[in-house]
DNA sequence: ACTGGATATGGAACGGGTTCCACATCCGGC
DNA sequence: GCCGGATGTGGAACCCGTTCCATATCCAGT
């Protein structure tokens, strides 16, 4: 409860002197320092960050927007971003936009209301127009939000290529291919275009299913798997995001077909869940930690007012061979 | 950039009137309202939340501390807490204390520095003494932090009983039992005490392994599994937290033993990962969503200054039968 | 005509820091 | 002895809203 004025009075100095001492700025005589120190201790003084923030117009808080927290890709992203922000003295405000569709707007508005200093958004929902209005530090994860907002993503085209080539080398002829929703503009579509292109080139049949926008939960993936299996398609290869690939594999196993003998799987993302299933999944691995680091780095540059030439950062992907493919 | 003063000047009114209008408090004539509205629009005025916060001594931000974000139990907890806080108009600041051991202290200090209004802590590290000093809204998840801090937890004793009885009914005679670290005081130990008690009562041999404090990651679990398997113990039942149980099962399968025929598994927590492995795991399920809801409810009561009789909230657990046990 | 409550408004004080300017002192150099 | 830079200090102004008090008007009731 004690404020800087109380400290100043108790120590018989001016408020300016106390402030200078607290911030180690300007001159304060050693003797005065001690007097103030004693006064602070006696009054149990703790600076009120709110008042500081008001003056400096910054809070040291970054909002991170994700469509879903539970999806391991986003979980890991959040985890890494938090660590990276912490390193640079920032705190992370986390926002899950899945349930409340107006949450994204609300969190963006926080930029204007000076509650957060910047935003990292991995959300794939809002109209791009909303972002155009805002000229504050924003970085996008895997999403195009207009010219002025830098994007961090992986080389999805290469990811699509790796997946396609792997399934081809494994001799797959009839492939289930689950793509993201095309209602949002995002770099990730590249992997599906490239995948299809290569499959076409090689005259391999694919069965393409477009997933619904903004659903990343297990329940939905189960629905999709049930639906697809009901069609009794004869397939020998699957390309899908981690959790969906896994659900698909489990259903395959439950239908008494062997993996990888009868069906090969390549998962996209390569989060930890692809490593805890048996057989371990072959996966295209996104370097989530690097994505997080780059996102924070870019945002930090924006915050410091540095010029960023990096409007788009593209990181490499790798394939991690598991036992859902043979070669 | 425009402030309330600019608006007042432009609309030819006093700042008080503008403020009253913004907050819908006190009287403002309809005509004046319109004038102010126009001025606000022209100046593109957005209230500065920071100034508001300073006056009201609140930020609407709650810090949530967890030892690990990636562990699905905590992930789900965070997810639910965020949603619940959002409902009540609060934002969540997320802190992972795993990497930086002083992070916990720093985030607690935010309470004093008025950066956050309250704390929900699921962290199992800091000395309880640190918490005793703080008389601000704090709620603990599954951890005792002293008389004055309410705890939300599940009935671990019952969980231990359910696990024990299940393995016994399944005819297990030699059981691997992985317990949490006993260096922290937490309600969760109850499950291990009860489990051991029942096993002793029934003269069933257990092999007990105490896990290291504050490690919830896969890498560590793998190490533990490798270590235990190296001992070539002959076991027919396992009781462990989700991810560890899964790693254990996978290693079992890789050693060409059949699940559940040769070895039965009961996982503790029952997060989604126990549902995506084949065979699906039998698990003691913690009602994470309820834990989150109760945590937020208690914290909210503290924030409102309501008396809480609820110093300890105990929620029920359930067993979800999967295919890693037979009966 | 008088009174009192409802309606309406302006502006000073406040919340708790930071910064800057004015001013004072001390010391070394010429 | 004078000058100028380094050292040191107090306090007003500011950051941007909120609240409260003083003041004013209007209208209905008696």
């Amino acid at each position: 409860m004690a404020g800087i004025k109380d400290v100043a009075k108790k120590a018989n100095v001016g408020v300016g002197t106390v402030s200078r001492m607290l911030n180690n700025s300007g001159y304060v005589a050693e003797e005065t320092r001690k007097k103030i120190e004693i006064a602070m201790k006696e009054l149990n003084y703790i600076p009120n960050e709110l008042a500081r923030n008001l003056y400096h117009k910054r809070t040291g808080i970054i909002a991170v927007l994700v469509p879903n927290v539970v999806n391991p890709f986003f979980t890991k992203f959040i985890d890494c971003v938090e660590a990276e922000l912490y390193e640079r003295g920032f705190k992370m405000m986390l926002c899950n936009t899945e349930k409340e569709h107006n949450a994204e707007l609300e969190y963006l508005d926080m930029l204007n209301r000076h509650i957060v200093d910047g935003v990292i958004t991995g959300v794939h929902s809002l109209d791009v127009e909303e972002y155009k209005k805002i000229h504050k530090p924003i970085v996008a994860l895997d999403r195009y939000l207009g010219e002025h907002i830098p994007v961090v993503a992986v080389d999805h085209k290469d990811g699509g290529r790796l997946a396609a080539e792997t399934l081809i080398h494994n001799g797959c002829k009839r492939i289930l291919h689950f793509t993201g929703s095309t209602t949002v503009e995002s770099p990730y579509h590249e992997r599906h275009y490239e995948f299809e292109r290569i499959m076409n080139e090689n005259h391999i049949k694919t069965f393409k299913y477009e997933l619904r926008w903004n659903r990343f939960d297990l329940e939905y993936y189960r629905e999709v798997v049930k639906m697809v299996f009901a069609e009794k398609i004869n397939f020998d290869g699957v390309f899908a995001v981690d959790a969906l690939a896994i659900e698909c594999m489990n259903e395959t196993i439950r239908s008494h077909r062997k993996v990888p003998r009868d069906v090969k799987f390549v998962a996209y993302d390569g989060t930890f869940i692809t490593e805890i299933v048996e057989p371990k999944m072959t996966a295209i691995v996104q370097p989530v930690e690097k994505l997080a680091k780059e996102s924070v780095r870019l945002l930090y540059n924006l915050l410091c007012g540095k010029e960023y030439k990096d409007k788009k950062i593209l990181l490499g992907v790798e394939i991690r061979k598991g036992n859902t493919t043979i070669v």
Side-chain angles (χ1 to χ4, degrees), chain A:
Chain A
M1 277 301 122
I4 205 170
K5 271 179 216 145
D6 305 295
V7 174
K9 199 173 286 174
K10 184 139 218 157
N12 265 318
V13 295
V15 288
T17 310
V18 178
S19 179
R20 282 197 307 277
M21 146 127 187
L22 279 169
N23 300 293
N24 259 321
S25 62
Y27 297 109
V28 181
E30 196 48 46
E31 213 175 325
T32 319
R33 275 207 141 71
K34 270 175 199 148
K35 278 199 299 180
I36 295 174
E37 226 156 63
I38 291 167
M40 290 205 301
K41 217 157 261 170
E42 277 184 22
L43 292 171
N44 207 352
Y45 171 73
I46 296 167
N48 184 331
E49 208 80 12
L50 247 39
R52 267 187 159 104
N53 289 347
L54 173 59
Y55 189 89
H56 290 123
K57 297 182 213 274
R58 82 183 281 287
T59 59
I61 301 174
I62 303 297
V64 177
L65 277 51
V66 290
N68 179 302
V69 176
V70 180
N71 180 304
F73 174 78
F74 291 115
T75 309
K76 180 82 179 167
F77 182 73
I78 292 162
D79 188 38
C80 294
V81 165
E82 194 269 347
E84 200 64 21
L85 286 174
Y86 185 86
E87 288 267 304
R88 297 176 195 246
F90 287 92
K91 312 302 169 203
M92 178 176 80
M93 181 182 281
L94 182 60
C95 171
N96 173 357
T97 58
E98 188 173 41
K99 288 153 202 163
E100 316 281 339
H101 69 287
N102 55 341
E104 189 178 355
L105 257 182
E106 195 178 326
Y107 277 82
L108 280 180
D109 198 40
M110 290 198 188
L111 271 175
N112 292 321
R113 294 186 292 146
H114 298 273
I115 295 175
V116 299
D117 297 341
V119 168
I120 295 176
T121 175
V123 166
H124 296 236
S125 57
L126 206 70
D127 207 311
V128 174
E129 295 304 314
E130 293 295 337
Y131 284 93
K132 284 192 178 150
K133 292 183 211 158
I134 306 175
H135 289 271
K136 295 264 172 96
I138 302 183
V139 170
L141 170 70
D142 218 1
R143 170 103 202 260
Y144 296 123
L145 293 173
E147 279 304 308
H148 64 306
I149 296 179
V151 184
V152 180
V154 298
D155 188 343
H156 286 295
K157 189 173 171 186
D158 200 46
R161 182 186 61 79
L162 281 168
E165 289 178 354
T166 303
L167 288 174
I168 290 171
H169 289 157
N170 275 273
C172 298
K173 297 293 176 209
R174 302 170 62 81
I175 296 173
L176 293 188
H177 177 199
F178 296 91
T179 81
S181 164
T182 50
T183 56
V184 276
E185 219 185 315
S186 158
Y188 69 70
H189 297 311
E190 291 291 336
R191 70 179 186 241
H192 302 301
Y193 300 150
E194 183 68 3
F195 188 87
E196 287 291 324
R197 195 189 62 71
I198 295 178
M199 287 303 167
N200 271 326
E201 204 174 85
N202 287 271
H203 310 293
I204 292 172
K205 171 85 185 149
T206 64
F207 302 86
K208 220 169 128 190
Y209 294 92
E210 184 172 327
L211 297 177
R212 264 167 59 192
W213 164 83
N214 225 20
R215 286 289 299 266
F216 304 86
D217 52 295
L218 270 189
E219 294 73 43
Y220 176 57
Y221 291 150
R222 287 208 182 111
E223 255 173 57
V224 171
V225 168
K226 196 175 279 180
M227 188 265 291
V228 171
F229 271 72
E231 296 183 24
K232 307 241 177 241
I233 294 165
N234 180 26
F235 60 88
D236 56 7
V238 174
F239 178 40
V241 288
D242 288 357
L244 181 51
I246 289 172
E247 282 300 326
C248 224
M249 176 169 84
N250 288 340
E251 193 57 33
T252 302
I253 293 172
R254 284 192 287 264
S255 334
H256 308 291
R257 303 178 68 197
K258 293 274 181 242
V259 178
R261 197 194 60 190
D262 304 328
V263 187
K264 310 341 180 214
F265 290 83
V266 173
Y268 202 96
D269 282 355
T271 61
F272 82 94
I273 57 174
T274 57
E275 299 189 85
I276 61 167
V277 289
E278 265 300 315
K280 210 168 146 177
M281 276 238 172
T282 294
I284 309 300
V285 184
Q286 293 208 47
V288 186
E289 193 169 343
K290 274 192 209 158
L291 285 171
K293 283 199 165 140
E294 282 302 305
S295 304
V296 173
R297 192 179 64 79
L298 285 195
L299 189 69
Y300 189 72
N301 284 351
L302 289 180
L303 285 167
C304 297
K306 275 189 209 158
E307 265 316 302
Y308 56 97
K309 304 131 257 176
D310 330 296
K311 296 230 169 150
K312 188 171 171 183
I313 300 273
L314 221 58
L315 302 173
V317 294
E318 281 176 10
I319 186 161
R320 192 209 295 120
K321 289 270 164 76
N323 301 315
T324 56
T325 50
I326 297 168
V327 287

